[in-house]
Amino acid sequence: MGSLSRKDSARYSCNISNPVSSQEDTFYMVVTYGPENIEMSGPKEVQVQTAFRLSCSAESIGNYLKLEDKAANTENPEERVGQRRSEREWERLYSPPSQRDGATDRVSNVTITTNTDLVEFNDTVRLSCSASGSSPLSFLWFNDSVEVTASDRVRITDGGAALTIVTVLRYDQGRYTCNASNPVSSSSSSSEGLFVNYGPEGVSLTISPSAQYYGQGSVVSFSCSADSRPEAQFRWFINGEMFSSTGAQINLEMEQSGNYSCQAFNSKTLRYTSSQPEEISVLSKNTISFVHFSSHSFVIKITPL
């Protein structure tokens, strides 16, 4: 900064932040100037032993104005009160804004409260931020260190202390933090995880090896997958009939073909989604032996009757 002028008197602050927190410090600079435009006023004529008042004013910061009152009665109580008032005003002028406004308590105890177990397309979530410290307090919200701003579904209210997301989507989930600040400091909350349950969707049945026909001695693996939070539970169907197995051999009395499919279920969203059926063709009447069976996959071995 080059030559200073009285207009440079201001509060200067520096804010340093990283992905998890930020700190701010403030410097108050007062540029002294004057005195100039000095004006003095008082009575033009006075009688002996009569109290009188002289006043002096000037544009100045940096020095007290001093007035030598040579009147016969200089112990006027009103004049002394006026002098004390000027001193208090001078202290008010020089004190930092944080002290003048009473904002002397640093920000602390920043916390977030919210409901973190949500269902996509169903729920609306509200996050509230609270903090200790002198007013005025201001708030900023972050999701994985990216600032959250208002939009069609995102509302920031209560002076910034409340964040509402309407009809949550899976893309809203993340680690949310709140930064609270006042004129003398700032502090961030610990992160709060927001989790959105969704699905199941994209249910897919995979059969390996893939073949047009399966003959005697073939070993076939079936697996089912789905995009879901939490992980989906699966049920299996042959020709539309649900079946299960603990690994024992089962005679399905299946002749040449059967349609296999799987169905995924999400215990949080309470939604079911089924895969497209896959046809298995067998050359002759055989027994289907379950070699391995789990919630999302199984292996069969085809043997003759």
Side-chain angles (χ1 to χ4, degrees):
M1 182 178 291
S3 300
L4 296 174
S5 70
R6 68 192 66 179
K7 295 180 180 180
D8 295 317
S9 295
R11 177 173 70 94
Y12 295 85
S13 61
C14 174
N15 185 285
I16 301 176
S17 63
N18 62 21
V20 297
S21 66
S22 66
Q23 292 291 328
E24 183 178 76
D25 198 10
T26 301
F27 172 74
Y28 303 90
M29 184 174 70
V30 178
V31 179
T32 61
Y33 64 87
E36 59 192 43
N37 299 327
I38 301 175
E39 295 183 0
M40 185 172 179
S41 63
K44 294 182 178 181
E45 295 181 3
V46 294
Q47 296 181 359
V48 177
Q49 300 298 325
T50 301
F52 64 91
R53 178 190 298 275
L54 296 176
S55 62
C56 184
S57 64
E59 294 182 16
S60 176
I61 289 184
N63 292 288
Y64 284 100
L65 299 178
K66 294 185 178 180
L67 173 64
E68 295 186 5
D69 190 342
K70 297 185 180 299
N73 183 6
T74 58
E75 295 300 320
N76 190 316
E78 185 179 353
E79 294 178 22
R80 293 200 303 273
V81 172
Q83 184 183 24
R84 288 198 297 271
R85 184 182 299 116
S86 298
E87 290 172 355
R88 287 198 300 270
E89 180 66 17
W90 191 257
E91 292 172 359
R92 188 199 67 79
L93 179 64
Y94 262 98
S95 64
S98 61
Q99 296 179 8
R100 294 202 304 267
D101 302 334
T104 56
D105 294 335
R106 298 179 67 86
V107 177
S108 61
N109 301 324
V110 184
T111 57
I112 296 176
T113 56
T114 187
N115 172 23
T116 59
D117 196 12
L118 308 164
V119 175
E120 187 177 39
F121 307 125
N122 284 13
D123 293 332
T124 292
V125 63
R126 176 184 170 94
L127 298 91
S128 298
C129 185
S130 61
S132 301
S134 299
S135 297
L137 287 172
S138 59
F139 301 88
L140 291 175
W141 291 92
F142 297 88
N143 180 5
D144 293 334
S145 303
V146 177
E147 184 177 353
V148 180
T149 57
S151 66
D152 292 341
R153 291 190 307 107
V154 179
R155 301 168 185 169
I156 300 176
T157 56
D158 297 348
L163 171 65
T164 303
I165 305 175
V166 180
T167 314
V168 293
L169 304 177
R170 69 193 69 179
Y171 313 106
D172 296 319
Q173 61 188 4
R175 307 295 303 184
Y176 282 76
T177 56
C178 170
N179 178 274
S181 62
N182 65 12
V184 296
S185 68
S186 66
S187 181
S188 294
S189 68
S190 57
S191 61
E192 184 73 36
L194 196 69
F195 305 106
V196 179
N197 300 304
Y198 62 89
E201 57 190 46
V203 181
S204 176
L205 171 62
T206 302
I207 302 175
S208 179
S210 178
Q212 185 175 4
Y213 298 100
Y214 295 93
Q216 172 180 330
S218 297
V219 176
V220 187
S221 298
F222 298 75
S223 65
C224 195
S225 62
D227 187 11
S228 176
R229 181 186 179 92
E231 290 187 1
Q233 303 167 14
F234 296 95
R235 300 190 299 185
W236 295 91
F237 295 82
I238 299 178
N239 296 324
E241 296 291 330
M242 186 176 70
F243 72 93
S244 62
S245 172
T246 58
Q249 178 174 314
I250 297 178
N251 292 333
L252 299 179
E253 298 181 354
M254 174 180 173
E255 294 187 355
Q256 293 186 342
S257 65
N259 288 315
Y260 288 71
S261 63
C262 62
Q263 184 183 74
F265 171 70
N266 186 313
S267 59
K268 292 290 185 179
T269 66
L270 304 180
R271 296 169 188 157
Y272 292 88
T273 306
S274 297
S275 70
Q276 291 294 323
E278 296 288 341
E279 183 178 4
I280 296 296
S281 296
V282 181
L283 291 177
S284 59
K285 192 172 183 180
N286 293 275
T287 295
I288 307 297
S289 299
F290 283 89
V291 179
H292 167 78
F293 192 94
S294 69
S295 64
H296 67 280
S297 66
F298 64 91
V299 179
I300 63 174
K301 183 176 182 180
I302 301 174
T303 56
L305 290 175

